[in-house]
Amino acid sequence: MKRHLYSSIFTLILSCLSVIVLSQDITLKQTNKSGIYRNGQKITVKAFAENLAGDTLHIKVFKNNNQLLNQKTIIIGKDSLMVYEGSFKEPCSIIIETRSKEQTASLGMLVEPEKLKPGAKCPKDFDAYWDNLKKSLNALPWDIKTAVILGTESDYGYSCEDIEVNCLGPKPVRGYFAKPEKAAPKTLPIVLLVHAAGVKGSWCRSEPGNALAYAKIGTLCFDLNAHGMLNDQPENYYTDLENSELKTYWLQGLTSRDNLYFRGMYLRLLRTIDFLTQQPEWDGKRILVIGESQGGGQALVAAGLDQRVSAVVAIVPAMCDWLAPLSGRMGGWPQPYETDASKEEMLKALPYFDAANILKDSKAIIYTEIGLIDMVCPSTSVYTAINQANGQKIIYTVPYRPHHQPEGALAKTWQEDIYKPRDLFIRNYLK
């Protein structure tokens, strides 16, 4: 896809952002519709709540997600209310929370986000560590097991397989691989789908339909199971995993770079890409990784660890700037450095798996959505990570978005202003 097309998409994204965040009766407006400000630039946030006239509005202002700057209570009138005025001289995030008896509304903003830097330096042996792991992975003989998935009549002309591929670490690669049956060699892009956090939820599991949907638009698609667990099992299988070996998996091994849980997850990412690039139908150019939250973090990691990854769609990505607390900010999910584990030992382990370090050599196109009121994957953590990448960045800041998709009055706005541009980017990239 040509550069001018990316530029036009970027312009579309910036032009369709809304200045407004709505609840049923509270409307918040800020100075800049993007939510992005320069150092020293005045930020003004006003509230409109005419239907709540006479009610009390409680206001809290947070810096960098968890630092309470100010709180106040005002009586709602029929005119606009000044909720916040201020400016900042350093890169940071600001979140405004408002609450009446029954309604809430929040709005976020960022100051000079492109100047955010990781909370700690990248280890000197970072490249050597990952080079050694990749060499071990490449030396591993292939052991691939497949089971054909029988589709419906609408799936005619496309194949889908339940795939298991051996890998370093405790678990193999598992997922669903789909493709057009009669595609010519070197004609198809690769799409790798990666999943959000959890074990038994529908959003955590690989599904044949996910892979087939992308195969039907002309791709080699692998829907990767993040945990290496078996696919299509009875519900009690996933419940047992969630209550046993995968219980709070994100906190496992935080003090050891060789035992940290995400090490196995990242290695499975690399092994999957190696598997996909061996397929004769791959065009040799395009590898697109798509994920949200934990999946968004995996997408960024894939772009950093494998230079063949040409583009990612990282939606409110996790695993970014884990050591942000050292710079007075909140780290990205799962906020490992904010746990009770040994800080000294975590400093020796976490940097090797932090997207803020992993992305330093990436030249992939990064399309990312950042929720400016996200308390799970803070906006500052995501910006810090993508600031380290060297490729083109299409950054979509969403002032009214928490970690999960907005509901109620904002749901339609989100669909029109955010989901559609994302879908447009994906479809254009895969043409």
Side-chain angles (χ1 to χ4, degrees):
M1 189 163 62
K2 297 181 179 179
R3 178 171 294 274
H4 75 266
L5 177 56
Y6 294 134
S7 298
S8 66
I9 293 174
F10 184 70
T11 302
L12 168 65
I13 288 171
L14 290 182
S15 67
C16 71
L17 283 166
S18 173
V19 299
I20 302 172
V21 58
L22 300 168
S23 70
Q24 183 175 343
D25 290 305
I26 302 174
T27 300
L28 297 179
K29 293 184 179 181
Q30 63 173 308
T31 312
N32 287 352
K33 60 184 179 181
S34 68
I36 305 298
Y37 297 83
R38 305 273 67 85
N39 286 344
Q41 184 178 0
K42 186 177 180 181
I43 301 170
T44 300
V45 179
K46 294 181 178 181
F48 300 81
E50 182 178 348
N51 292 340
L52 301 176
D55 199 350
T56 300
L57 188 68
H58 302 274
I59 301 163
K60 289 185 178 181
V61 181
F62 293 90
K63 179 181 178 182
N64 291 331
N65 287 77
N66 56 11
Q67 301 170 27
L68 182 62
L69 289 184
N70 189 19
Q71 59 181 334
K72 61 182 179 180
T73 300
I74 57 179
I75 302 300
I76 300 172
K78 292 187 178 295
D79 298 322
S80 64
L81 306 170
M82 181 62 69
V83 171
Y84 178 77
E85 280 187 305
S87 62
F88 296 85
K89 296 181 179 180
E90 73 284 346
C92 63
S93 69
I94 303 298
I95 295 177
I96 311 294
E97 294 182 356
T98 63
R99 175 177 57 84
S100 65
K101 286 182 179 179
E102 298 181 353
Q103 300 294 322
T104 62
S106 297
L107 192 64
M109 51 221 71
L110 283 163
V111 177
E112 298 279 7
E114 69 280 359
K115 293 183 179 179
L116 286 163
K117 297 179 180 180
K121 293 182 179 179
C122 185
K124 293 181 179 180
D125 66 341
F126 178 90
D127 291 331
Y129 177 77
W130 278 106
D131 286 345
N132 287 333
L133 282 176
K134 291 176 186 178
K135 288 178 181 177
S136 297
L137 198 61
N138 292 335
L140 188 66
W142 289 96
D143 183 8
I144 302 171
K145 300 174 183 177
T146 65
V148 175
I149 303 300
L150 299 177
T152 64
E153 186 176 346
S154 66
D155 300 324
Y156 179 77
Y158 303 90
S159 65
C160 185
E161 296 175 318
D162 187 339
I163 297 279
E164 178 179 308
V165 183
N166 64 323
C167 189
L168 297 177
K171 297 290 182 181
V173 169
R174 288 190 175 116
Y176 292 102
F177 174 49
K179 64 180 181 179
E181 290 179 340
K182 296 182 180 180
K186 298 183 179 181
T187 59
L188 301 181
I190 287 169
V191 172
L192 176 56
L193 305 177
V194 282
H195 286 274
V199 179
K200 68 178 183 179
S202 60
W203 62 90
C204 313
R205 306 186 200 178
S206 300
E207 297 289 346
N210 296 337
L212 281 165
Y214 277 95
K216 290 177 181 179
I217 60 173
T219 76
L220 301 167
C221 183
F222 199 108
D223 185 11
L224 175 63
N225 179 326
H227 305 301
M229 56 192 182
L230 294 168
N231 297 312
D232 193 27
Q233 297 300 297
E235 193 67 25
N236 66 316
Y237 168 81
Y238 301 102
T239 299
D240 289 346
L241 278 178
E242 186 175 67
N243 293 331
S244 55
E245 65 178 277
L246 291 180
K247 185 176 182 178
T248 59
Y249 64 84
W250 52 87
L251 301 180
Q252 295 176 13
L254 295 181
T255 58
S256 169
R257 69 179 187 178
D258 294 325
N259 294 319
L260 192 118
Y261 181 83
F262 291 97
R263 179 181 184 271
M265 182 182 289
Y266 294 0
L267 288 172
R268 289 190 291 274
L269 273 175
L270 295 175
R271 189 66 161 175
T272 305
I273 295 170
D274 284 339
F275 166 79
L276 290 168
T277 55
Q278 291 185 8
Q279 305 306 308
E281 299 92 345
W282 180 44
D283 66 12
K285 299 177 181 179
R286 291 172 294 169
I287 301 177
L288 173 63
V289 187
I290 303 172
E292 182 170 353
S293 191
Q294 177 186 267
Q298 290 179 83
L300 295 180
V301 166
L305 291 180
D306 196 319
Q307 297 300 300
R308 293 172 295 184
V309 173
S310 56
V312 301
V313 173
I315 305 162
V316 291
M319 287 97 90
C320 293
D321 199 20
W322 279 344
L323 296 170
L326 295 174
S327 295
R329 302 188 303 270
M330 186 177 174
W333 184 89
Q335 286 87 42
Y337 199 70
E338 285 96 315
T339 67
D340 294 332
S342 167
K343 296 290 190 287
E344 182 180 356
E345 295 303 316
M346 283 193 289
L347 277 173
K348 298 176 183 178
L350 296 179
Y352 296 91
F353 305 93
D354 188 336
N357 293 326
I358 291 173
L359 275 172
K360 65 183 179 63
D361 295 321
S362 174
K363 296 180 181 179
I365 299 166
I366 296 177
Y367 181 110
T368 187
E369 296 171 17
I370 304 175
L372 298 193
I373 58 172
D374 193 335
M375 297 298 291
V376 179
C377 299
S379 59
T380 49
S381 72
V382 180
Y383 245 107
T384 297
I386 62 176
N387 282 346
Q388 311 314 307
N390 300 309
Q392 185 180 3
K393 299 157 191 174
I394 302 172
I395 303 170
Y396 202 168
T397 54
V398 189
Y400 57 81
R401 179 168 180 171
H403 188 64
H404 300 288
Q405 297 173 10
E407 299 177 351
L410 289 172
K412 185 176 181 180
T413 299
W414 183 87
Q415 286 286 331
E416 292 295 321
D417 291 354
I418 302 167
Y419 181 82
K420 285 187 176 180
R422 181 209 305 167
D423 185 61
L424 176 65
F425 169 81
I426 292 171
R427 289 185 176 275
N428 281 327
Y429 187 79
L430 296 175
K431 281 183 178 178

